[in-house]
Amino acid sequence: MPTSPTPPSDPSRSPLQPSPPLPPPMPPRAGRREWTALGVLMLPLLLVSMDVSVLYFAVPAISADLAPSAAQQLWIFDIYAFVLAGLLITMGSLGDRIGRRRLLLLGAAAFGAASVTAAYATSAELLIAARALLGIGGATLMPSTLALVRNLFLDARQRAAAIGVWSAVMTGGVALGSVLSGVLVEHFWWGSVFLVNVPAMLLLLALAPVLIPESRDPEPGRFDLLSVPLSMAAVLPVIYGLKRAAEHGPDGVSGLAVLAGLGFAAAFVRRQRTRAAPMISPDLFRERGYASAVVLNLVAAFAMMGSAYFTTQYLQSVLGMGALEAALWSLAPSVAIGAAAPVATTLVQRGADRARVVCGGFLVAAAGFGVLGLCGTDSLVTVLVGAGVLACGIVTVMSQLTDLALGAVPPRRAGSASSVLETGQEFGGALGMALLGSVGAALYRRDLDGSLPAGLPARAGSR
């Protein structure tokens, strides 16, 4: 019986010496199906980010139709962001347990139903409830999309490119929402700003089961119900306090709200460290690069939202533009955003050190702030250039830090990792508006008080 030839032995290696370990297998590369699935995932991400600003022009029409009180009008505008921020951690952990695709589909159905309810709301109370349900749906969609991107693209180079697209869509959606709102309200009734969500959600419900494979943590442990209210109590008071400080200036109520949230945050962290199956595993922050990515991403969101606040104020209060005209001009810097993340990804893939690229992004953003500092009372071009340079730097930073954070954690924890990262962004954005807005208002009053007639106090512009 013939035998296969024996491969020649290596004379330089002792027979007792173990064979060298085989190199780890290369992760599978994504194909057309995965890239098509990415396009489908961008639909809910775009709509969730747009809903942050989609009421910008619809509020006057809503006020005329539903006659909400001043407090109800604030809740119509703010309840979405509050619920979204408060539930991100819960929904990210839930997706790891029940399946991210399943949570995505549940969220899409809730988001679509809430959109229809909001569009045809007959009272301010019903609209507030519908906006809260939109926030719940958004909280399921955002971490699910990012976690599914992590599991669709296992190759590091492809994952970085996909996350660059994710970052650009999320950033651009906020700017696009206000413009879309103005166009729709000008030609239709205010409910149309919500109905645009419905076709996209139906398309997602039809295509996601076909294109997107299910993924979950194979050993998630028991879901910790008590951590749900604790996480919300940690997030919501801080977000509320920061938003109140941005709108009315720092006061006792905003300070107490932030302190209460920080107290609940300490209790939440203590519970996670003592539970056998925590909602957010402390091991996440032991992964190399994850904690630093979360913190630096928060700083980037701080810079982005703080600068956007002043840019909007400048276009309307200084240049005297109407809301729709200001929103259209504010889209101009967004043109450069689409190229920033892919360029940064290409640099890293061609051998550039990621830390240097992130530092470069922060330096570019700082240069954008410097250009904005040169603005006078009639400097539209300077404002647009400065805002564009700043946005390019920030999107470069956020795309690389998001890729670093998700690449540092195992795929089974992608949902929890995504939710913590996105919650940090919400904190950073609220802090940027509160801190920089308060500093700007204080400087405004200081500089203007000396130039006004005696007894006439300086007043800040419309927020």
Side-chain angles (χ1 to χ4, degrees), residues 284-297 404-405 408 421:
L284 277 178
F285 297 92
R286 301 189 186 103
E287 302 287 354
R288 179 178 174 83
Y290 181 77
S292 58
V294 171
V295 173
L296 291 176
N297 207 48
L404 173 63
L421 190 72

Side-chain angles (χ1 to χ4, degrees), residues 110-209:
F111 202 84
S115 297
V116 174
T117 303
Y120 295 102
T122 55
S123 66
E125 293 83 0
L126 182 57
L127 183 55
I128 292 171
R131 287 280 287 171
L133 184 56
L134 280 169
I136 296 173
T140 67
L141 295 171
M142 283 188 68
S144 295
T145 57
L146 192 51
L148 287 167
V149 167
R150 171 67 178 89
N151 285 271
L152 280 170
F153 298 91
L154 300 178
D155 178 78
R157 295 170 65 90
Q158 292 184 319
R159 184 183 67 240
I163 288 176
V165 173
W166 188 94
S167 300
V169 169
M170 183 187 67
T171 306
V174 178
L176 184 60
S178 60
V179 177
L180 181 65
S181 170
V183 172
L184 290 174
V185 171
E186 186 172 339
H187 294 90
F188 305 99
W189 98 111
W190 59 263
S192 61
V193 302
F194 298 109
L195 286 185
V196 294
N197 298 332
V198 177
M201 291 300 117
L202 291 176
L203 186 62
L204 177 65
L205 289 170
L207 295 181

